[in-house]
Amino acid sequence: MEFLGGLVGAHRVLADRAAAERIVAAVGLLPLTVRVYGAKLAALRHMPLAAYASRLEHGGAIYAREQAMSAQG
């Protein structure tokens, strides 16, 4: 959670830790995908973490997770 907090702001992660955990899980717990999707979320300052987590859980992170896994070999 610290890694995501460093990208999107610790205050956002602390305000909704459950959603932050959902985001990290949705992107496969991989640092690369957390960085990519965390950077996107940082740019979307108006979007609540829970809304972003729901978006990722409904298919938004599937492609990124597959790409990261194939890159790992």
Side-chain angles (χ1 to χ4, degrees), residues 26-49:
V27 299
L29 305 170
L30 300 169
L32 176 60
T33 56
V34 172
R35 180 179 298 276
V36 169
Y37 282 88
K40 288 182 181 184
L41 180 57
L44 299 170
R45 294 182 187 134
H46 66 282
M47 181 174 280
L49 269 63

Side-chain angles (χ1 to χ4, degrees), residues 6-33:
L7 297 167
V8 303
H11 65 285
R12 291 177 78 185
V13 171
L14 291 172
D16 195 349
R17 186 168 177 89
E21 290 174 357
R22 289 171 48 211
I23 290 166
V24 172
V27 299
L29 305 170
L30 300 169
L32 176 60
T33 56

